[in-house]
Amino acid sequence: MKKRILYLLLALVLVLSLSVPALAAETFYPVSVDEYTAGELDEPRINKVYRLSLSDDPSGIPTDDFVRDGRHYYLLDLIRKDEVGVDTQPCTRTVTLPSTTNSMESVLQSLEAEMEVETDEGYTGTLKLDHTSVHVTVDGYKSSTKNHSATRTFPNLSEADLSLLPKTVTEGGRTLSLATVQWSSSYDDDGEGGAAIRYSATASYTGSSTTRYATGYTITADYTGEVAKTGCEIVTYTAIFGSRTVSEEPENSGVETVPAAKPEPQAGDTESAANNPASAPVTAAGLLTALGCMAALAIPVAAVIWLACKLMGRMGKK
């Protein structure tokens, strides 16, 4: 019974150890996929291009069979090409500028059509203004109060009575209220040979209006494009997949995985590690990843060993 438990625990440790390489692999994605036909039968083929740095492990390039549009695609070749040239990548820069107006016409005139950029990694290029990204936001608001006044004269009044005067008047679309009145009097013929006193009023009307205005505006805009870096070292891998119709699959094999062909090397080709990515030299990045995975498995492995010792100790006491 002790030996059976020990064998089971050792098998578990072995399975956990063998899973480390699978966890350490990094998956890459193609920068371009081209479909074309080749050969006398115009066989559909697919080329998938991957761009890696010298420190990347090419074993992460997917080379498994797959089915697309009713055809079974399988790896024919994996070509490697070392390049020392220009590497490009997309780039976006967002600029923020103050503005005294929110008029989009004026805002667009204040923005440059292009801008030169240089990234921290040494990439340089010219980016163009993305007009659809331009936005104007208000920084804040303030209020201001303005006083208004108007004067009205009302002659030939029978009495110096405020009730004879309007309490409000309209001036420039605003309503003003009666503030002060200055009276004056004069004698006039009453039409019967006597004298009558007539009054005139000079009335002042006042009021105020409050205006809310923006203290300023902020413009945000994106400049987009590509930046390039010369003199960088890049490795380009091209995975070439041939195909056959699914109906051509052998009846007893299900989905068959066809091993990749290994053509004879030609002069000028740099395929030393192309036909078998796993044969590429181990990189520092891959080694660190593998060590990290082993460290992550150390705890459960130690727990299994501790449990085995504990069980064996109890069984020994019995």
Side-chain angles (χ1 to χ4, degrees), residues 182-249:
Q182 292 182 350
W183 296 96
S184 63
S185 61
S186 62
Y187 291 92
D188 194 7
D189 186 2
D190 61 0
E192 297 179 355
I197 301 177
R198 309 302 291 178
Y199 296 90
S200 294
T202 302
S204 296
Y205 293 85
T206 59
S208 62
S209 62
T210 301
T211 304
R212 187 169 180 257
Y213 63 94
T215 57
Y217 303 91
T218 297
I219 305 170
T220 57
D222 293 339
Y223 287 80
T224 60
E226 284 191 344
V227 290
K229 180 180 180 181
T230 58
C232 55
E233 295 181 335
I234 303 170
V235 182
T236 299
Y237 290 89
T238 303
I240 304 174
F241 290 87
S243 71
R244 57 171 173 267
T245 59
V246 176
S247 60
E248 296 175 358
E249 299 288 341

Side-chain angles (χ1 to χ4, degrees), residues 40-262:
E40 297 180 355
L41 301 178
D42 288 335
E43 171 196 340
R45 292 187 181 182
I46 293 178
N47 285 2
K48 297 185 178 182
V49 180
Y50 301 83
R51 304 188 72 186
L52 281 64
S53 66
L54 292 178
S55 61
D56 290 330
D57 184 1
S59 62
I61 297 176
T63 57
D64 296 335
D65 295 10
F66 60 91
V67 175
R68 177 184 291 184
D69 298 331
R71 297 190 68 84
H72 183 162
Y73 286 85
Y74 52 91
L75 184 67
L76 289 177
D77 204 353
L78 184 62
I79 301 175
R80 167 178 173 158
K81 182 179 180 182
D82 295 335
E83 300 179 8
V84 179
V86 179
D87 182 30
T88 60
Q89 63 181 23
C91 181
T92 300
R93 286 289 186 272
T94 301
V95 298
T96 302
L97 299 173
S99 176
T100 57
T101 178
N102 62 347
S103 170
M104 187 57 65
E105 181 179 357
S106 300
V107 167
L108 291 176
Q109 291 178 356
S110 66
L111 294 171
E112 297 291 340
E114 298 179 346
M115 68 178 300
E116 301 291 332
V117 296
E118 181 176 359
T119 67
D120 296 337
E121 296 80 13
Y123 290 81
T124 60
T126 302
L127 307 182
K128 294 185 177 180
L129 173 64
D130 180 4
H131 292 81
T132 62
S133 69
V134 179
H135 293 284
V136 182
T137 57
V138 180
D139 297 336
Y141 291 95
K142 282 187 177 181
S143 298
S144 64
T145 301
K146 185 178 181 180
N147 295 323
H148 306 277
S149 63
T151 301
R152 297 287 188 272
T153 300
F154 303 96
N156 201 28
L157 300 176
S158 60
E159 297 181 10
D161 188 352
L162 290 178
S163 63
L164 301 176
L165 305 178
K167 300 300 183 290
T168 60
V169 295
T170 301
E171 180 75 14
R174 300 180 181 87
T175 300
L176 307 180
S177 301
L178 180 63
T180 61
V181 179
Q182 292 182 350
W183 296 96
S184 63
S185 61
S186 62
Y187 291 92
D188 194 7
D189 186 2
D190 61 0
E192 297 179 355
I197 301 177
R198 309 302 291 178
Y199 296 90
S200 294
T202 302
S204 296
Y205 293 85
T206 59
S208 62
S209 62
T210 301
T211 304
R212 187 169 180 257
Y213 63 94
T215 57
Y217 303 91
T218 297
I219 305 170
T220 57
D222 293 339
Y223 287 80
T224 60
E226 284 191 344
V227 290
K229 180 180 180 181
T230 58
C232 55
E233 295 181 335
I234 303 170
V235 182
T236 299
Y237 290 89
T238 303
I240 304 174
F241 290 87
S243 71
R244 57 171 173 267
T245 59
V246 176
S247 60
E248 296 175 358
E249 299 288 341
E251 295 181 357
N252 59 348
S253 64
V255 177
E256 180 184 5
T257 301
V258 180
K262 296 184 179 181

Side-chain angles (χ1 to χ4, degrees), residues 5-21:
I5 294 175
L6 182 60
Y7 290 154
L8 289 175
L9 294 175
L10 290 176
L12 177 59
V13 172
L14 179 61
V15 170
L16 292 174
S17 301
L18 292 176
S19 65
V20 172

Side-chain angles (χ1 to χ4, degrees), residues 1-7 311-313 315-317:
M1 185 65 178
K2 293 182 180 180
K3 291 183 178 180
R4 182 178 299 177
I5 294 175
L6 182 60
Y7 290 154
L311 291 175
M312 294 179 67
M315 295 180 66
K317 290 181 180 181

